[in-house]
Amino acid sequence: TYSESDTFFEGQEGTYIMHITSMPERIRRGTSETIKLTGDVLGLYAKKEMVGEELLHADGEIIAYVNDASSILPGSYVWVHGTPLHSRSGVEDGQIDRRARMIASLYRGTIYDGTVTAVVTSGTSLPAEIRPPWYEYILSALMQDVGNIHTYVKQAIANRLPASVAALAQTLVLGGSYSLLSSTVMTSFTLTGLIHILSVSGSHIALLFAMVYGIGAIGGIGKERSTYAGIIVAILYCCMVGFNPPVIRATLMGICMGIGVIRGTLYSSRQAIAVSAAILLLYQPMLLLDVSFQLSFGATYGILLLVKPLYRRMPRGMPKVTIPLALCLAAQVLMWPVQLYYFHMVGIGTFVAAILVAPLLDLAIIGIVILVLLNIIYAPAFLWDMVGYLLRIAVYINYTIARLPLMTYW
């Protein structure tokens, strides 16, 4: 089986040449912080007398934890010295089975105490034996450009918001860096079912499209041109935060919607989600067993199938309450069995948080994105302060809901 197979270099100390495929992520391990690098291994110089200085070919994905990654961006090539160890993933009831994700990414191992010995930005600097084809030079350059945008956004947030909420703001907009959030914040978001907002999901793509359409309406830009801009922005954002199933699903659905608007044809959300699922599964069938794929598509299908019938049966005259409640209930109904299996919890706190907290976080995300754009020219400090206060209020309300009795059933 997959969990019992070994690569020829597992447990072999040496210097591994990695092609970085995602943004380096700052991780808190115990009392110290380290940098997590994820990338494809191209080759290695094994620390073995019988091999000498020979470059050995290798493939698959490797994760490396290093102390310094200040100049490393996606698309870079990094030499990391260390020993990769395989993270075994057994199957237990009630635990997330990570084998599908490992198989899909061709995961080979993790270097826990790596040392970066060299970094280059172009494949032309690689040894001739592992030099990539010409088109990968272009892809790597584009990845580095997107990585620079990611770095700018993250740095702008860190410079303008207090440290107490900066990490939360970065996570809301860019995803990742969960270990930098306090355990209290993570636990409360998990208990109220809003943890999906911290990991970049379909709601972020929907907010981006809404923001582009809003800016277009204010600026007198036609709907067709706004649609083109929305598609471009969604694709760039998808590249910047990483190609995880929820983001790809929402981006593909947004593209389908945009094509319908541009061509002047009717848009069917059910057809769009079916096309999105088919494209993802054709590319990587193992995604069917991935928990993020199951939750994203399951929740979206629940909304498409159930939100209208549920809304019709709710009291009239309170749309600001009944619409979020109907959306939340529709998304949760199909996912309750999945939530119980993976996370051991379900409760009514999700519905309360969807009404009181989720809108505040959505406003914060929109505000952060606008302020980051304005920051290129000038963004008033009081606007950043307002976003900071909004995040503090959202965290406090969410924490209070999580602590109320009967909000969560275990």
Side-chain angles (χ1 to χ4, degrees):
T1 62
Y2 172 76
S3 60
E4 295 172 349
S5 65
D6 297 332
T7 55
F8 74 92
F9 54 80
E10 181 181 347
Q12 173 60 58
E13 182 182 359
T15 299
Y16 291 78
I17 303 176
M18 297 173 59
H19 182 218
I20 305 301
T21 55
S22 62
M23 280 297 298
E25 183 179 353
R26 190 172 296 277
I27 301 292
R28 182 177 289 120
R29 296 173 64 192
T31 57
S32 61
E33 290 186 2
T34 186
I35 307 297
K36 177 184 176 183
L37 302 178
T38 303
D40 297 325
V41 60
L42 305 178
L44 74 144
Y45 294 99
K47 190 177 180 181
K48 215 168 187 178
E49 291 185 4
M50 61 182 295
V51 176
E53 296 297 320
E54 180 184 355
L55 176 63
L56 303 177
H57 286 271
D59 62 2
E61 180 185 86
I62 272 190
I63 296 171
Y65 291 93
V66 300
N67 291 325
D68 182 26
S70 55
S71 61
I72 298 175
L73 292 170
S76 302
Y77 298 89
V78 181
W79 279 250
V80 178
H81 186 85
T83 304
L85 303 174
H86 200 295
S87 297
R88 303 302 178 187
S89 180
V91 183
E92 299 179 16
D93 290 339
Q95 298 292 326
I96 296 179
D97 184 0
R98 299 184 182 276
R99 291 184 303 170
R101 190 170 295 185
M102 289 180 172
I103 295 171
S105 63
L106 295 177
Y107 170 79
R108 303 302 191 194
T110 299
I111 300 174
Y112 289 98
D113 295 300
T115 303
V116 175
T117 59
V119 179
V120 297
T121 58
S122 173
T124 56
S125 303
L126 294 174
E129 306 94 299
I130 58 172
R131 223 165 261 170
W134 64 269
Y135 58 84
E136 286 200 11
Y137 297 156
I138 300 174
L139 290 176
S140 293
L142 291 174
M143 290 170 68
Q144 290 171 39
D145 290 338
V146 172
N148 282 320
I149 297 174
H150 187 287
T151 302
Y152 164 76
V153 173
K154 199 167 188 176
Q155 197 60 47
I157 294 172
N159 291 339
R160 301 306 297 270
L161 285 176
S164 58
V165 292
L168 176 60
Q170 291 170 347
T171 302
L172 282 171
V173 175
L174 300 172
S177 301
Y178 308 116
S179 67
L180 299 182
L181 299 176
S182 70
S183 59
T184 303
V185 171
M186 287 297 294
T187 301
S188 63
F189 272 89
T190 301
L191 292 175
T192 57
L194 293 182
I195 194 70
H196 67 91
I197 296 182
L198 298 184
S199 58
V200 176
S201 61
S203 62
H204 292 69
I205 302 297
L207 286 173
L208 281 178
F209 267 98
M211 190 175 71
V212 170
Y213 277 122
I215 294 173
I218 294 172
I221 301 173
K223 194 172 183 180
E224 183 174 332
R225 291 185 178 180
S226 295
T227 302
Y228 279 117
I231 291 174
I232 293 171
V233 168
I235 292 173
L236 288 175
Y237 185 70
C238 191
C239 295
M240 188 171 65
V241 300
F243 295 93
N244 62 67
V247 176
I248 298 175
R249 187 266 308 161
T251 302
L252 289 174
M253 289 186 68
I255 291 173
C256 290
M257 178 197 70
I259 291 173
V261 171
I262 293 167
R263 296 181 60 187
T265 57
L266 291 175
Y267 167 72
S268 171
S269 52
R270 295 187 187 183
Q271 289 181 356
I273 193 173
V275 169
S276 303
I279 291 174
L280 283 172
L281 292 176
L282 282 172
Y283 174 74
Q284 183 49 259
M286 292 303 298
L287 285 174
L288 187 62
L289 303 178
D290 188 276
V291 61
S292 62
F293 180 92
Q294 296 167 5
L295 290 173
S296 177
F297 280 89
T300 307
Y301 267 117
I303 291 173
L304 296 180
L305 295 174
L306 302 174
V307 69
K308 287 184 179 179
L310 288 171
Y311 180 66
R312 292 193 191 104
R313 288 165 173 77
M314 290 184 175
R316 300 295 180 184
M318 297 184 295
K320 292 183 179 180
V321 174
T322 54
I323 291 176
L325 189 60
L327 285 168
C328 183
L329 186 58
Q332 293 292 325
V333 166
L334 291 183
M335 289 295 96
W336 271 337
V338 180
Q339 283 182 304
L340 283 170
Y341 177 75
Y342 285 121
F343 307 114
H344 304 280
M345 67 180 69
V346 70
I348 61 173
T350 300
F351 308 120
V352 180
I355 296 171
L356 299 179
V357 182
L360 297 179
L361 294 175
D362 288 342
L363 284 174
I365 292 171
I366 293 173
I368 293 167
V369 172
I370 292 174
L371 288 175
V372 166
L373 293 174
L374 289 176
N375 202 59
I376 299 173
I377 304 172
Y378 173 71
F382 77 92
L383 293 178
W384 284 102
D385 292 338
M386 289 175 63
V387 170
Y389 290 133
L390 193 63
L391 289 173
R392 290 191 187 95
I393 292 170
V395 169
Y396 176 76
I397 296 174
N398 191 70
Y399 175 76
T400 303
I401 294 171
R403 288 178 60 86
L404 290 174
L406 304 179
M407 288 293 106
T408 303
Y409 299 96
W410 294 84

